[in-house]
Amino acid sequence: MARQLDEQMTERFPVGQRLRVLDVGMGQGTQALRLARAGHKVTGVEQDATMLALAREALAAEPEGIRSRVRLVESDGRDTGVHFLPGSFDVVLCHGVLMYVENPDALLAGLARMLAPGGLISLLVRNGDALAMRPGLAGDWATALASFDTTASTNRLGVDVRADRLNALTSALAGIGAPLHTWYGVRIFTDLASDDAPVPQNPENMAALLAAEERAGRTDPYRGVAALLHLCGVRG
């Protein structure tokens, strides 16, 4: 997904431009720190105290030049208007958040207001059009059959989450003034891998794995059955 995001940022903005990035639901700060290391000014928003502590710990280990480019805010992301002025950011990330929000329309509208004209919004969501894939491939036929007519599912942590369908999110992005520019699939060939599956140690094997996932993530029909969807909209 980082490669997909970098591709869209490079396409949208001049090379070398230092961007203002808002990362809502940043978790432990992986993307926020990666972008700060690339020279961008990043504001990370997170409501989970444990994740926020991990992000602060990771940030503290960075050089001063990187630390100075990162601001951390404790929030669930639905009150962006309280913390920031409209149009304050060139890029807004909301990765792995919408699945925990029952009615995401207000959150999405608030995020769009944070974008400057021409700004990029990046969403990572559970794919509501492919919920039957994982249980079906695992031979769990009852769950697979039940998954066709719902957008509700249970994630690997045993938490009930909500999925989004591509058509519905396409309409939602158009409605908030940040129409869909492109979309990718994420976790196509690797979705059935267990959480403790070893990372390939052979550099060639790892490179091949990433290349295969990246190619599938931009290619029909593979991207349509990905576990996650990465949608990129552009503020008009």
Side-chain angles (χ1 to χ4, degrees), residues 195 198 216:
D195 292 337

Side-chain angles (χ1 to χ4, degrees), residues 87-122:
S88 295
F89 298 94
D90 304 300
V91 180
V92 171
L93 313 181
C94 187
H95 296 164
V97 175
L98 295 190
M99 61 188 68
Y100 298 106
V101 180
E102 185 174 354
N103 297 302
D105 291 351
L107 173 60
L108 285 174
L111 297 182
R113 283 194 293 271
M114 295 300 103
L115 279 174
L120 176 72
I121 184 169
S122 171

Side-chain angles (χ1 to χ4, degrees), residues 7 16 32 53 57 79 82 87 90-91 111-112 142 157 171-172 190 202 207 227:
E7 177 180 74
E57 182 180 348
D79 58 352
V82 174
D90 304 300
V91 180
L111 297 182
L157 301 176
S171 297
T190 59
N202 184 307

Side-chain angles (χ1 to χ4, degrees), residues 35-173:
L35 292 171
R37 293 184 192 114
H40 304 300
K41 185 176 181 179
V42 184
T43 299
V45 173
E46 177 57 53
Q47 69 168 338
D48 185 273
T50 300
M51 289 292 102
L52 195 57
L54 289 173
R56 288 193 174 112
E57 182 180 348
L59 181 60
E62 296 289 333
E64 169 58 28
I66 294 174
R67 295 200 305 271
S68 67
R69 292 196 289 270
V70 179
R71 175 189 176 192
L72 303 181
V73 177
E74 186 172 1
S75 168
D76 67 359
R78 285 179 283 195
D79 58 352
T80 49
V82 174
H83 300 285
F84 318 111
L85 293 174
S88 295
F89 298 94
D90 304 300
V91 180
V92 171
L93 313 181
C94 187
H95 296 164
V97 175
L98 295 190
M99 61 188 68
Y100 298 106
V101 180
E102 185 174 354
N103 297 302
D105 291 351
L107 173 60
L108 285 174
L111 297 182
R113 283 194 293 271
M114 295 300 103
L115 279 174
L120 176 72
I121 184 169
S122 171
L123 307 175
L124 183 70
V125 303
R126 182 162 293 280
N127 184 4
D129 294 318
L131 290 180
M133 284 299 296
R134 184 192 294 169
L137 291 173
D140 183 355
W141 309 120
T143 301
L145 285 168
S147 298
F148 284 104
D149 302 312
T150 184
T151 54
S153 66
T154 302
N155 66 15
R156 298 187 184 200
L157 301 176
V159 178
D160 292 334
V161 295
R162 188 187 58 78
D164 288 282
R165 299 189 187 278
L166 178 62
N167 286 343
L169 269 183
T170 299
S171 297
L173 287 170

